[in-house]
Amino acid sequence: MTIQFFPGSADPVAFRAALRLYPARYRRERGDELSAVFADSTAEGGKLATAREALDLGVYGLRMRTGLTASSTAGRLLALAAPLVAGAIAGLGLTRVLHDATGQAPEWMWELPDRAVQVPAYASYYGALLVPLLLVGAVLAGRSRLARTAAVALAAVGALGVALAVLAQPDFWLVFNKSCEATPQLFAGLLFALAPHELLRRRPTRSDRAMVLAAAAGGGLVLVAEDFYSSWVLTDGWAGAALVVVPLLTLLFVVRDRLVPAAMGLAVLPLTLTFSLFRIWQSIGGVWRLLPVVGLVLVGTMVAAGLLHRDTGAGGRRSLA
């Protein structure tokens, strides 16, 4: 099929690159229509407008390939989980800072002699509080664009924390230990950013806000249950496994199209996954003994992903309550 570009359209190079991200069948059936829309939307715009339209076009193509559209099961599940994730990660960050403010501040905060290290370390620590609060505020106010920006910033804060752990710690044990404090922000930000934002562009109801606030309380309770990420408290390996397996099992509710309980389980995973694996590793005594547990988690994740990838047609917007 030859795609026709219409008079007034910008250089089609960006459009062709974005179109390559769509499934081949969709390109054959809708390519000319997408070309017309792209030409019309960029006819009076400059290079920046063209780049923005091409980026939006390409992102939606990736959503189609991965099944994360507004009409898919996975897309609707992520849209339901996103506000809960925002609340949970905000509750976790607030609880952690309040705990440290009582005189239990982490020793490493005062043991960084190099200012070049202190600045990103403080940015990671306080960013894990301030950015989630901005995110949950945007969710409660129904500001989807601001929430999307905050989610990307949250993922960046988490990535910064993981990078600091990798660069500052001398061995894998400590890298795994310190990165567990940052991975919740990284995973939560990515999960929120992947949700179809057309499903989030609505004014939240009172029930929605109540669920977000309940999730914030739950995020704080998760941190308390994990003893504020204290790796020195060795707990039963089965307890750590439950914090991973139980949320994954809730994803099986999608088989019956009951997405709300599945969304609740999905919202918990960013807070528990890596730290629970670390606790199991400590309890069972080594990384090689942890591999079977990791294998089970991967198998469960792939099965869940297969269930979520199925298309359910024109799924509508659903309230959290």
Side-chain angles (χ1 to χ4, degrees):
M1 180 195 72
T2 301
I3 298 175
Q4 301 295 325
F5 287 88
F6 295 86
S9 67
D11 188 345
V13 173
F15 172 79
R16 291 184 183 278
L19 193 65
R20 285 292 179 184
L21 299 176
Y22 284 77
R25 180 178 178 181
Y26 191 88
R27 293 201 304 268
R28 290 193 299 268
E29 296 177 353
R30 305 288 295 276
D32 287 336
E33 179 183 344
L34 291 176
S35 173
V37 172
F38 184 82
D40 182 66
S41 59
T42 59
E44 299 180 0
K47 292 183 178 180
L48 182 60
T50 300
R52 184 170 58 249
E53 290 294 331
L55 178 61
D56 290 343
L57 190 69
V59 167
Y60 194 77
L62 288 175
R63 287 191 176 280
M64 291 194 66
R65 281 192 179 273
T66 56
L68 298 179
T69 62
S71 61
S72 69
T73 300
R76 292 187 292 134
L77 175 61
L78 285 176
L80 285 170
L84 301 179
V85 169
I89 203 68
L92 181 144
L94 184 60
T95 303
R96 179 184 176 190
V97 170
L98 290 176
H99 170 262
D100 293 344
T102 62
Q104 302 295 327
E107 293 181 0
W108 63 264
M109 294 289 288
W110 321 117
E111 297 176 352
L112 298 174
D114 190 348
R115 286 184 177 273
V117 178
Q118 283 182 347
V119 172
Y122 277 99
S124 173
Y125 182 78
Y126 290 107
L129 167 68
L130 299 178
V131 178
L133 290 179
L134 175 62
L135 174 59
V136 79
V139 169
L140 293 174
R143 302 288 298 275
S144 61
R145 186 179 296 274
L146 178 60
R148 183 177 185 179
T149 303
V152 174
L154 180 61
V157 167
L160 174 62
V162 173
L164 288 172
V166 172
L167 295 175
Q169 302 303 327
D171 55 50
F172 180 75
W173 190 93
L174 289 173
V175 168
F176 199 177
N177 176 18
K178 299 306 298 182
S179 64
C180 287
E181 300 176 7
T183 46
Q185 289 78 36
L186 175 60
F187 291 163
L190 292 176
L191 193 152
F192 194 103
L194 288 174
H197 289 276
E198 56 268 35
L199 295 182
L200 300 177
R201 291 172 183 168
R202 64 181 180 85
R203 188 174 182 83
T205 65
R206 288 184 179 180
S207 297
D208 293 337
R209 293 190 178 98
M211 290 293 289
V212 172
L213 295 177
L221 290 175
V222 166
L223 187 61
V224 172
E226 293 176 342
D227 198 38
F228 299 91
Y229 293 133
S230 174
S231 63
W232 303 105
V233 178
L234 300 182
T235 60
D236 186 357
W238 289 107
L243 289 174
V244 178
V245 174
V246 172
L248 284 175
L249 288 177
T250 63
L251 297 181
L252 295 177
F253 280 101
V254 300
V255 176
R256 302 294 299 271
D257 202 36
R258 297 186 61 184
L259 300 187
V260 172
M264 292 178 178
L266 186 60
V268 170
L269 280 175
L271 280 63
T272 63
L273 181 59
T274 55
F275 190 76
S276 294
L277 291 178
F278 184 73
R279 290 200 305 180
I280 297 169
W281 176 23
Q282 288 183 298
S283 298
I284 65 179
V287 65
W288 294 110
R289 295 182 182 180
L290 179 64
L291 290 180
V293 180
V294 174
L296 290 175
V297 171
L298 290 176
V299 170
T301 303
M302 288 187 291
V303 171
L307 293 172
L308 293 175
H309 192 71
R310 64 186 181 91
D311 193 354
T312 58
R317 299 174 182 174
R318 182 180 303 187
S319 173
L320 287 170

